[in-house]
Amino acid sequence: MFNKVHHIAIICSDYEVSKKFYTEVLGLHIIREVYREERQSFKLDLALNGEYIIELFSFSNPPKRVSQPEAVGLRHLAFEVEALETVIAHLSKYQIVAEPIRTDEFTGKRFTFISDPDALPIEFYENTNQ
């Protein structure tokens, strides 16, 4: 019935800051960027390894996201990575501090979290063949 998750939509409070974060810091590639005059809103389509995964939207005065403590709704966005240390070192170049590395008690895989510019939690989950 379903093939895959098509995309994730994110509304940001500062479009230029979030655009820079997702493209320059995380390295996602821009597929298309449009300004929708009728909504006074940008829509940025982003890809990872050629796969369309994120729509980044700007809207005027969006309500703040409830994040801490955890609330109903999207909990976090997770990226599979080869090596956490490489990701953490890359993020530190942008003064982004990752949480301490934890280990998934069920899979034995390591993971960590950061926050995007609007405090959306982003997880990096290590996929090793060990």
Side-chain angles (χ1 to χ4, degrees), residues 57-100:
F57 291 98
S58 69
F59 291 107
S60 60
N61 301 316
K64 295 285 184 199
R65 179 182 193 284
V66 176
S67 184
Q68 301 294 333
E70 292 180 0
V72 171
L74 179 66
R75 184 172 183 207
H76 63 265
L77 176 62
F79 290 98
E80 180 182 297
V81 302
E82 292 298 320
L84 285 176
E85 286 78 7
T86 303
V87 173
I88 292 168
H90 170 76
L91 295 169
S92 70
K93 294 177 187 174
Y94 296 92
Q95 289 75 48
I96 297 171
V97 178
E99 292 181 1

Side-chain angles (χ1 to χ4, degrees), residues 16-98:
E16 291 304 323
V17 168
S18 291
K19 177 182 175 181
K20 181 176 181 175
F21 175 80
Y22 283 97
T23 60
E24 295 180 23
V25 176
L26 296 187
L28 301 181
H29 298 280
I30 297 173
I31 298 172
R32 176 175 36 276
E33 181 177 34
V34 296
Y35 183 74
R36 301 172 309 164
E37 185 66 42
E38 71 282 359
R39 293 185 174 187
Q40 297 182 336
S41 169
F42 281 98
K43 178 181 181 282
L44 184 66
D45 296 336
L46 299 168
L48 174 64
N49 298 325
E51 276 297 310
Y52 171 55
I53 63 164
I54 291 179
E55 288 179 339
L56 184 65
F57 291 98
S58 69
F59 291 107
S60 60
N61 301 316
K64 295 285 184 199
R65 179 182 193 284
V66 176
S67 184
Q68 301 294 333
E70 292 180 0
V72 171
L74 179 66
R75 184 172 183 207
H76 63 265
L77 176 62
F79 290 98
E80 180 182 297
V81 302
E82 292 298 320
L84 285 176
E85 286 78 7
T86 303
V87 173
I88 292 168
H90 170 76
L91 295 169
S92 70
K93 294 177 187 174
Y94 296 92
Q95 289 75 48
I96 297 171
V97 178

